[in-house]
Amino acid sequence: MPANPVAGVRDIITFAAPALMLGMLYCLYRAVTLFAAWKPAAAVVWATDYTDAERRDDFGGLGTLRGWRITDGRDQRLIEETVHYEDEDGERHTAEVKRYVRAGWRPDGAHTIWYDSADPSRATAFGPGYWLLSAAALGFALVMLVNAAMRGHA
């Protein structure tokens, strides 16, 4: 433990503030990129890595069949799906996308994805709203951190 515990906290703030800022800027970049060059499309799910047995097991608590994954939250799971969708020209495409679903519940068989208008085979289920909310959360954390540092709590 450092001789001066406040100095340890200052070290954390020194690294945390730029990390939060970079994270927020990346999220804003992703949102702007999606709004500028990607298009939304209705996608139909053809396959998923979240099986019926795993869903039933998630209602039991620990999710022993699926196991613990760092990407999963307390009540949510990051799943991977194979989806089919049509671009704005009516051409059909297939893509692997990841998205969060409520643990234990059957995911919807259709949802909105965003595809790259320059390369329609590239798609994501995380649209600009996801990235804007992530940027807002990181911005809030940054403001709280700076506020605490300015008040002398750090």
Side-chain angles (χ1 to χ4, degrees):
M1 186 153 140
N4 182 358
V6 173
V9 173
R10 285 190 188 124
D11 290 342
I12 292 172
I13 291 173
T14 301
F15 291 106
L20 288 170
M21 178 65 79
L22 288 173
M24 184 181 71
L25 290 173
Y26 175 76
C27 290
L28 290 172
Y29 164 78
R30 287 290 293 156
V32 168
T33 300
L34 288 170
F35 274 130
W38 292 54
K39 305 276 186 203
V44 177
V45 177
W46 282 65
T48 181
D49 70 345
Y50 194 35
T51 66
D52 287 335
E54 289 173 341
R55 283 193 290 274
R56 283 191 302 273
D57 196 51
D58 277 345
F59 275 124
L62 296 177
T64 55
L65 288 176
R66 184 171 169 86
W68 183 83
R69 297 180 185 176
I70 195 166
T71 57
D72 294 344
R74 182 171 158 244
D75 292 322
Q76 66 183 9
R77 296 288 182 255
L78 181 66
I79 65 171
E80 189 169 322
E81 300 174 321
T82 302
V83 296
H84 292 246
Y85 58 96
E86 289 185 5
D87 63 20
E88 63 187 350
D89 296 328
E91 292 183 43
R92 294 180 188 264
H93 299 277
T94 302
E96 298 290 324
V97 296
K98 293 180 181 183
R99 70 177 174 132
Y100 284 101
V101 297
R102 185 163 171 81
W105 295 90
R106 181 180 304 276
D108 293 335
H111 57 87
T112 302
I113 56 102
W114 287 74
Y115 68 89
D116 186 352
S117 55
D119 180 8
S121 64
R122 293 181 51 212
T124 182
F126 299 114
Y130 171 85
W131 293 106
L132 287 174
L133 286 174
S134 296
L138 290 170
F140 179 75
L142 179 63
V143 167
M144 297 304 291
L145 182 71
V146 169
N147 189 28
M150 298 293 281
R151 287 184 172 196
H153 295 290

